Amino acid sequence: MLVATPLAAALAPVHQRYLLEARQMQALSFAVHIPLVCFGIAFPALVLFVEWLHRRSGDELYLVLAKRWSKVMLALFAVGVITGTILSFEMGLLWPNFTATFGSVFGLGFAIEGFSFFMEAIFIGIYVYGWEPLSPRLHFASGIPVVIAGFTGSLMVISVNAWMNHPSGFRLHGGKVVDVDPLAALFGNSYLWHELVHMYVAAYIVTGFLVAGVYAIERLRGSWGRYQRTALAIPLTVAALAAPVQVLVGDWAARDVARSQPVKLAAIEGLAKTTRGASEHVLGWYTGGQVRDGIAIPKLLSLLAFHNPNATVKGLDTVSPARRPPVNVVRVAFQLMVGIGTALALLGVAYLVVRTRRRRLPQSVWFYRALAVAGPLSVVALISGWIVTEVGRQPWVVYRVMLTSHAVTGAGGIPVGHATLALVYAGLAAAVLWVLRRLARAPLELTVAS
Amino acid sequence: MHLYDVPLVFALIGLVLYTVLAGADFGAGAWQMLAGRGAAGERTRDHAHRSMGPVWEANHVWLIFVLTVMWTAYPTAFGSIASTLSVPLLLAGIGIIVRGAAYALRTGAESPRELRAIDRASAVSSIVTPFALGAAVGGIASRRVPVGNAAGHLFSSWLNPTSALIGGLAVATSAYLAAVYLAADAVRVGDRDLERAFRARALLAGVLAGAIALGGVAVLHSDARPLYQGLVRGAALGALVASVLAGAATLALVWWRRFEAARYTAALAVAAVVAGWGLAQHPLLLPGLTVARAAAPHDTLVAVVVAVIAGGALLFPSLGLLFGLLLRGHLDREPGAAQPVAEGRAILAASAPGLLGRAAAACLVAGIGFLTIAEQPWAHALGVAALLAFVVLGFFALESADQARL
């Protein structure tokens, strides 16, 4: 359906000197928001699980833990609300022509996401401020909408991103967007599912490793009671189970990319020419039409992408140079994501083996050191994954329909806005770290021996 | 009314609710600045914070609602507005960051000095944000936002008499709404001093807001003639009169300490002003762009309307629950001491973990088969379900059984 008619955008495209800065500003805003999204998705489920343990066992330790985590959850949610608001502003501030031209196609996704966000905000307020006033049963019930809204919210946002990568639900007629079917655009899209599952699983990995990492650091500092062991084990078990699953989900996602976005795959792999039985390169740097200093594994790329060692993989040469994404950015980000993801999966498996065989937590100090860095590394992998998706789609904002340079604002002062936002976000990051340390330092309200 | 008008009505309702609810929040932030030092000032600032805590996030989502409805239903207008008014919108965005961060930070603050610093930052942003948003509205109302990608002036589109008027009105209205709300809340917690203090502030801010609104008519007459002409006739004039009456009624109610009722009349006054603006400008959304031409295609409008109605059916009962709990004083205490519960029950039956573990392993094998080896979409769906089941079953097997022994 996507013929090569040039698009007639709703507003006349203008030349923007600072297109790269606009993209950087958008990338910064995403990079700040996405880790918080992970906590919005996964943390409520963990808190609710701990509350459930308390309800089943009557053990007070779980209640104390759930309450403390719920405070952190609320603080991070508040920061998520504001960084999310900035993102919705930027849809217009930075990319007015994208929104003006295609708002009628994809906008519904955000409108529904807005309601999800609403439900999450309302019930998170009830949950965190409702520990005493509500009956235990009602209080537990008030947490369930938070978990559901975390899922539906991410579903809607990902449906928009999947549409940008694999647009459908409209036709171009003489360059104009016609026959708009927003439901088909958002939900009739085969690209949605792998993106959604990949992100949803990532949320549990990031949240799990980051939270467990906090208690790993406590252990390294010599604080290791039952409270810390419990608070470490619960998030770590989720992350350890989810990390190997993510390897499989990621492989599925890559096969979908190979079919729908061959140029993105070519950039990921640094494949200049269309090749039959293409080899996979690990590490290395793309320069002069090939990957240098990498380790080549013959036929592996064809096998992974198409389940056939002799399959033909399209190269960057299928499109003109101006229609190719920056190869090394995409490629390095991809290798980082896969490398970290694999390491996290191995760490998870090691933990699961000890947990199931010996029925205790690992004892090696190296395990806890690894765990302390696993959290931040999982965030790096998360951001890298989004770089692969978003930079890999360039120069298109809507894949093969609208160029990013046609979507950008004509307003001046982007570097000023970018610098201001960077400063504000640096302050915000410092503030969040400060408040999290403060919350962690507050004495435990445990009356039972730990 | 046509189908293409309906989302605009939704957006304007959202704008009214944002002005009233988040406005009260910004106003509360602004009053924190004027609270002064010492124990009394601290109590005032604490009160302002505590009353807003549980509803803060929900109040702010109204703005996101307005933005999403606008860009879905009137995309061209949205793109034109956001690109021309990028400076005030970015300012408002940064103000919202600071205000929200202040909420998160206050949970960790320990000393009065830290609290004061946080409240000061939050107060500045609480004045900047409503002003910037009001100034942006002023730019649209005075026809300074043409259709096009950043086609209007970067600065004069929002630095002009009409923008100053509406920005100032937004700040004064916020301060007024907050004072009324906080006075009502002081009555609820039985604090007479605070009630007196906020009643005085409410009267002051109310008179100020009224004066700005009345004086503003002259500003519109000279700076935004088309808007002025639209406002002084027909239904728009009726809305304006209703707003004046509601404004006067709310002052009288505050005077007689009927704060709860005053909140509703104040909301009515805001709603009437927004309605008057919409009616005065109708059928134009931007200069030369009618609502009908700006509207998205039919299917999108239907989808938006259905989504908003369905969402509203979920949202309003939930909001009712939240505000109900808040106003009845159920949410005053932050998470505190644990209540003693009997200990030592088993979480799951003894045989459950082994079964769960085996089921998890089976799911993992099935998941690999369906997702990684098979090619069909239905197999992939099964594979994903199996893998997610593996995580959930494995988690319950480990964390609900062995947990207590760690």
Side-chain angles (χ1 to χ4, degrees), chain A residues 90-109:
Chain A
E90 284 173 340
M91 296 288 292
L93 290 181
L94 294 174
W95 317 105
N97 217 0
F98 167 59
T99 320
T101 310
F102 290 108
S104 64
V105 185
F106 72 77
L108 182 70

Side-chain angles (χ1 to χ4, degrees), chain A residues 411-440:
Chain A
I414 286 177
V416 179
H418 184 192
T420 313
L421 191 73
L423 276 175
V424 171
Y425 272 171
L428 183 67
V432 169
L433 288 178
W434 177 82
V435 77
L436 290 182
R437 286 181 65 107
R438 271 290 167 82
L439 288 177

Side-chain angles (χ1 to χ4, degrees), chain A residues 220-297:
Chain A
L220 293 172
R221 287 181 182 159
S223 171
W224 195 235
R226 188 163 86 86
Y227 177 84
Q228 284 81 6
R229 292 195 298 273
T230 307
L232 178 130
I234 291 171
L236 178 55
T237 301
V238 178
L241 288 162
V245 165
Q246 188 74 309
V247 175
L248 302 172
V249 174
D251 164 64
W252 168 42
R255 280 182 276 140
D256 265 8
V257 170
R259 263 186 290 117
S260 308
Q261 293 187 311
V263 181
K264 183 185 275 179
L265 185 81
I268 285 171
E269 302 295 347
L271 188 69
K273 292 192 176 64
T274 303
T275 313
R276 197 167 167 276
S279 37
E280 169 95 23
H281 289 83
V282 182
L283 301 176
W285 185 257
Y286 180 84
T287 175
Q290 55 179 306
V291 176
R292 285 194 195 279
D293 303 326
I295 306 154
I297 305 165

Side-chain angles (χ1 to χ4, degrees), chain A residues 104 133 237 255 307 355 410 438, chain B residues 114 149 300 330 371-372 399:
Chain A
S104 64
T237 301
R255 280 182 276 140
H307 281 182
R355 249 332 264 286
R438 271 290 167 82
Chain B
E114 288 171 3
N149 187 343
T300 302
H330 285 328
L371 184 67
T372 308
E399 290 313 317

Side-chain angles (χ1 to χ4, degrees), chain B residues 65-141:
Chain B
F65 170 79
V66 172
L67 295 176
T68 57
V69 168
M70 284 305 289
W71 80 46
T72 310
Y74 311 99
T76 322
F78 178 83
S80 308
I81 291 168
S83 56
T84 288
L85 295 170
S86 55
V87 180
L89 291 179
L90 185 65
L91 278 177
I94 287 170
I96 291 170
I97 298 177
V98 176
R99 179 73 181 135
Y103 264 102
L105 282 178
R106 234 177 176 275
T107 49
E110 280 161 5
S111 70
R113 232 189 81 233
E114 288 171 3
L115 283 175
R116 253 205 319 280
I118 294 169
D119 289 345
R120 203 170 302 135
S122 130
V124 173
S125 69
S126 296
I127 293 170
V128 169
T129 311
F131 181 85
L133 290 173
V137 167
I140 301 168

Side-chain angles (χ1 to χ4, degrees), chain B residues 127-369:
Chain B
I127 293 170
V128 169
T129 311
F131 181 85
L133 290 173
V137 167
I140 301 168
S142 60
R143 301 193 170 187
R144 287 181 164 96
V145 179
V147 176
N149 187 343
H153 195 275
L154 194 59
F155 293 105
S156 71
S157 60
W158 63 284
L159 290 174
N160 57 68
T162 304
S163 287
L165 166 72
I166 299 181
L169 191 59
V171 174
T173 309
S174 298
Y176 174 65
L177 288 164
V180 175
Y181 180 79
L182 292 171
D185 219 43
V187 173
R188 193 174 54 68
V189 298
D191 191 327
R192 290 303 301 262
D193 293 347
L194 276 176
E195 183 204 330
R196 259 195 298 279
F198 279 110
R199 176 172 171 267
R201 290 181 170 121
L203 290 171
L204 182 78
V207 169
L208 184 68
I212 295 176
L214 291 178
V217 176
V219 176
L220 295 186
H221 182 76
S222 69
D223 186 59
R225 188 60 68 88
L227 180 68
Y228 172 83
Q229 283 166 346
L231 275 173
V232 294
R233 68 171 145 236
L237 184 62
L240 226 52
V241 171
S243 170
V244 172
L245 291 177
T250 178
L251 277 176
L253 286 168
V254 171
W255 182 263
W256 288 317
R257 322 187 95 81
R258 302 282 301 277
F259 301 114
E260 192 56 44
R263 290 167 62 184
Y264 294 106
T265 47
L268 192 65
V270 173
V273 168
V274 173
W277 170 40
L279 289 166
Q281 217 178 293
H282 198 77
L284 282 186
L285 202 49
L286 295 178
L289 184 69
T290 59
V291 176
R293 273 193 43 227
H298 179 265
D299 283 8
T300 302
L301 294 178
V302 172
V304 171
V305 171
V306 171
V308 172
I309 290 172
L314 270 178
L315 173 67
F316 282 102
S318 309
L319 272 177
L321 185 67
L322 175 65
F323 281 101
L325 289 169
L326 180 74
L327 295 179
R328 274 181 273 125
H330 285 328
L331 300 182
D332 282 348
R333 287 159 296 181
E334 297 210 8
Q339 42 203 344
V341 192
E343 251 187 79
R345 272 197 294 151
I347 293 166
L348 285 183
S351 61
L355 287 174
L356 285 175
R358 274 188 292 254
C363 283
L364 177 63
V365 174
I368 294 173

